Amino acid sequence: MTPPILTVVTPSYNQGRYLEETIDSVLSQGVPGLEYIIVDGGSTDESVEVIRRHGRHLAWWVSEKDRGQSHAINKGIARATGHWLAYLNSDDVYLPGALQALLDALRAAPAARWIAGGVIGFGTPDAPVHEWHLPTVPRGMLDLLSSRFQMAQPGHVWERALVQQVGGFDESLRYLFDINLYAALIAHGVRCHALDRPVAGYRFHATSKTVAEGMLFEKEWDIIRARYVTSLGPLDRVRARHRIGLLKAQALMTEAARRAEQGAPGDARAGFAAAVRRHPGVLLTRAAAGAARRLLRG
């Protein structure tokens, strides 16, 4: 029996209102030899009912308590048999023809072991988002650690053996376990290839981590940077400190602008000053201009 060419894993927890659309987007891809696995964390909404309706099309599924999203994905990977691997969250979707386009691009580049396509961001009335981008892949560890890339998670496909080789997804991370995987792959000398077309839809809504908990991502960025900055040469470490310092200063400026909008000018001025102390170059950025406008209006 020919093993599956591609395994898609969907981690799921109480996203029943979106899950059917996610499942349909995978099963309608029409890829011969597609293996689909759903790992539900013991949902208490309609998720299990939705999964059961599609059970005959699934290679494996389970609904039981787990240790979080990355643990659920790793459980799926342990069951996967496809040569290639992807995961799609239970509130996101693949665009028509996406997986075949990614597989065709991988076949056209025999040395490729990791590819990323573009992603369309879309929202809901309580989290309105309308955006899309083609992938900008990191040229190396310096680009990754200083956030000089744009390749949202739903657009990725990896060689399954490669993901297993680096230990899968780090279950100690709640938010940026995907970024940590990218760093691990780059540290192993693996380059990400780009497919210049949108392949997936990334849904923003009030309960998604990106919307509800986005302010908490920075702590995990610090963990990942501390892990991998030592892999850089001396000059690139200096560049990394400069770039990361500017990123953190811009975040302080954005928060200062938010505080000014909320009618807290004292906090806004303190935040503005802290950003400048962190990296004077922030004064040349749009974030500083925006914060200054709001302070002057205040």
Side-chain angles (χ1 to χ4, degrees):
M1 186 174 181
T2 304
I5 188 171
L6 170 68
T7 300
V8 176
V9 176
T10 288
S12 168
Y13 184 67
N14 284 344
Q15 298 285 1
R17 56 184 165 166
Y18 307 123
L19 181 57
E20 186 114 41
E21 189 177 359
T22 299
I23 294 172
D24 287 343
S25 80
V26 176
L27 296 178
S28 65
Q29 289 292 307
V31 174
L34 175 67
E35 178 180 67
Y36 192 23
I37 290 171
I38 299 178
V39 186
D40 183 79
S43 292
T44 56
D45 64 357
E46 66 270 34
S47 295
V48 173
E49 180 184 341
V50 172
I51 297 168
R52 282 200 178 108
R53 283 203 297 270
H54 298 276
R56 68 186 183 279
H57 301 298
L58 304 178
W60 183 73
W61 73 274
V62 69
S63 180
E64 61 187 18
K65 187 174 177 58
D66 57 40
R67 298 191 298 273
Q69 187 179 359
S70 51
H71 179 223
I73 299 166
N74 284 339
K75 284 168 64 176
I77 293 172
R79 292 273 184 162
T81 61
H83 179 81
W84 299 103
L85 172 72
Y87 84 86
L88 185 70
N89 289 324
S90 55
D91 50 1
D92 296 331
V93 295
Y94 283 128
L95 303 181
L99 294 180
Q100 192 62 60
L102 287 161
L103 292 172
D104 288 347
L106 287 164
R107 290 191 192 98
R113 305 178 73 189
W114 171 22
I115 193 168
V119 170
I120 296 171
F122 65 102
T124 55
D126 51 3
V129 172
H130 308 281
E131 64 181 32
W132 73 280
H133 66 81
L134 296 179
T136 303
V137 301
R139 294 167 295 178
M141 190 67 77
L142 175 61
D143 279 355
L144 184 91
L145 297 183
S146 55
S147 301
R148 293 199 172 187
F149 65 93
Q150 190 171 28
M151 46 179 197
Q153 171 274 315
H156 290 253
V157 171
W158 306 272
E159 188 178 66
R160 177 172 58 88
L162 180 64
V163 174
Q164 292 174 320
Q165 180 185 341
V166 299
F169 292 92
D170 186 337
E171 295 175 17
S172 72
L173 300 175
R174 173 171 168 79
Y175 307 108
L176 302 184
F177 50 84
D178 53 343
I179 306 294
N180 187 74
L181 176 69
Y182 308 161
L185 295 177
I186 290 172
H188 278 71
V190 182
R191 181 171 69 89
C192 183
H193 291 247
L195 175 62
D196 288 334
R197 61 158 280 182
V199 296
Y202 190 118
R203 190 192 307 265
F204 293 78
H205 53 91
T207 58
S208 65
K209 289 180 183 178
T210 304
V211 174
E213 304 175 58
M215 296 298 290
L216 303 176
F217 287 19
E218 191 61 26
K219 289 182 180 179
E220 292 194 359
W221 259 121
D222 288 342
I223 292 169
I224 294 167
R225 287 164 176 155
R227 284 177 179 173
Y228 291 100
V229 72
T230 55
S231 69
L232 299 174
L235 183 56
D236 276 348
R237 287 192 204 183
V238 173
R239 291 182 176 128
R241 283 196 296 270
H242 168 78
R243 291 182 184 180
I244 293 166
L246 184 56
L247 286 171
K248 289 181 175 293
Q250 287 177 290
L252 288 170
M253 279 296 182
T254 300
E255 176 62 14
R258 188 179 72 85
R259 297 298 289 154
E261 287 284 354
Q262 290 175 340
D267 290 345
R269 285 192 294 270
F272 192 100
V276 175
R277 286 195 301 272
R278 180 81 194 219
H279 197 301
V282 75
L283 289 169
L284 302 177
T285 67
R286 291 182 179 179
R293 280 196 303 271
R294 286 167 177 79
L295 278 167
L296 289 171
R297 283 206 309 264

